[in-house]
Amino acid sequence: MRFADPTSAEEAVKLLSEESGLAKVLAGGTDLLVQMKSGIIEPDLIVDIKKIPGIREIIPENGGYRIGAAVSGSELSEHREITKFIPGVVEACELIGSTQIQGRCTMVGNLCNSSPAADTTPALFAVEAQVNIAGPSGNRTCSIEDIPIKPGLNSLKKGEFITSIFIPSRPKLSVTPIASSNFLDNSAILSGGQFGISMPKYSDIPLNTCLLYTSDAADEGLGVDLGGRRI
């Protein structure tokens, strides 16, 4: 197994594109390292992207924010402006693992792992986030929902990796766990979306929602009723 830590996106793309075996990108590594240790995967090449400029930065942009792919959960939650701008997304990111995991985990890694129980993906979907992707054909942008294909599989092509997440200006989002007990639950299924409600004497209020199902809640059929349909 080879290890590389490129200092530019172009160098990272070249390494990923030219590797004939299994190449994996390392940002936080909280999923990758566990998969390697358990023998699920044996990469021929690991490309650590943390030395790429901007990859660990949170930058205001066109009324929104661009979050680098290697920004950790703890860095996100400690950023005052971003916690005010997208409190629900930060709340969702804080659901990933323990305090130790928060120091390493990233939203991009959570997204690319393509788990049905991904904590941040529904919240990112609800705020209409987009990802910037570097690859052999240059840079491209796509919506969050276009990345996961099925559990454990994403839509990134050979040589591609996500460099950042862009979140446009949106209404505030809140994330509420639905559980049947006060004990620790592991997420089973998560979903996200947005809707509006109309109230007398008020204009239509846009709301974004992210519904989290824990294993207990899923077993007991707990959910939220929207328009007569339980989801």
Side-chain angles (χ1 to χ4, degrees):
M1 183 182 70
R2 296 185 297 120
F3 177 86
D5 53 349
T7 56
S8 69
E10 293 76 16
E11 185 183 356
V13 168
K14 187 174 186 295
L15 287 163
L16 294 169
S17 300
E18 294 180 351
E19 176 55 49
S20 58
L22 178 62
K24 287 290 184 178
V25 173
L26 172 65
T30 54
D31 285 315
L32 176 61
L33 297 179
V34 170
Q35 292 171 2
M36 290 174 60
K37 190 171 183 178
S38 61
I40 296 174
I41 59 172
E42 295 182 4
D44 298 286
L45 171 66
I46 293 178
V47 178
D48 188 339
I49 61 173
K50 287 191 289 294
K51 289 186 178 180
I52 297 175
I55 209 81
R56 299 191 66 176
E57 296 180 359
I58 300 174
I59 304 171
E61 182 179 311
N62 297 327
Y65 278 86
R66 185 166 298 281
I67 302 170
V71 171
S72 70
S74 60
E75 289 171 331
L76 192 72
S77 62
E78 291 170 3
H79 194 284
R80 292 185 178 181
E81 287 75 19
I82 206 73
T83 54
K84 292 179 181 178
F85 180 66
I86 45 168
V89 174
V90 175
E91 289 174 33
C93 192
E94 289 173 345
L95 294 173
I96 304 176
S98 62
T99 301
Q100 294 91 333
I101 296 297
Q102 282 290 310
R104 297 284 302 181
C105 69
T106 67
M107 290 197 296
V108 168
N110 198 227
L111 172 66
C112 291
N113 197 43
S114 301
S115 168
D119 295 293
T120 58
T121 302
L124 290 170
F125 167 77
V127 297
E128 299 182 344
Q130 296 181 322
V131 293
N132 186 71
I133 300 169
S137 300
N139 293 334
R140 66 183 179 94
T141 300
C142 76
S143 299
I144 285 292
E145 59 263 33
D146 294 329
I147 298 300
I149 295 178
K150 63 180 183 179
L153 181 66
N154 62 57
S155 64
L156 296 178
K157 302 174 183 176
K158 184 176 177 59
E160 290 187 331
F161 73 100
I162 296 174
T163 59
S164 65
I165 296 175
F166 176 69
I167 301 177
S169 179
R170 300 292 301 167
K172 289 185 178 180
L173 165 74
S174 64
V175 177
T176 303
I178 302 173
S180 59
S181 70
N182 294 324
F183 297 101
L184 177 64
D185 286 308
N186 290 321
S187 301
I189 303 171
L190 286 93
S191 63
Q194 53 181 306
F195 64 93
I197 59 175
S198 181
M199 292 191 285
K201 299 182 181 180
Y202 296 93
S203 61
D204 287 347
I205 301 175
L207 295 176
N208 287 345
T209 67
C210 171
L211 308 178
L212 182 153
Y213 291 77
T214 66
S215 54
D216 283 354
D219 290 341
E220 297 187 15
L222 299 178
V224 176
D225 197 345
L226 296 179
R229 184 181 64 172
R230 184 170 289 285
I231 58 175

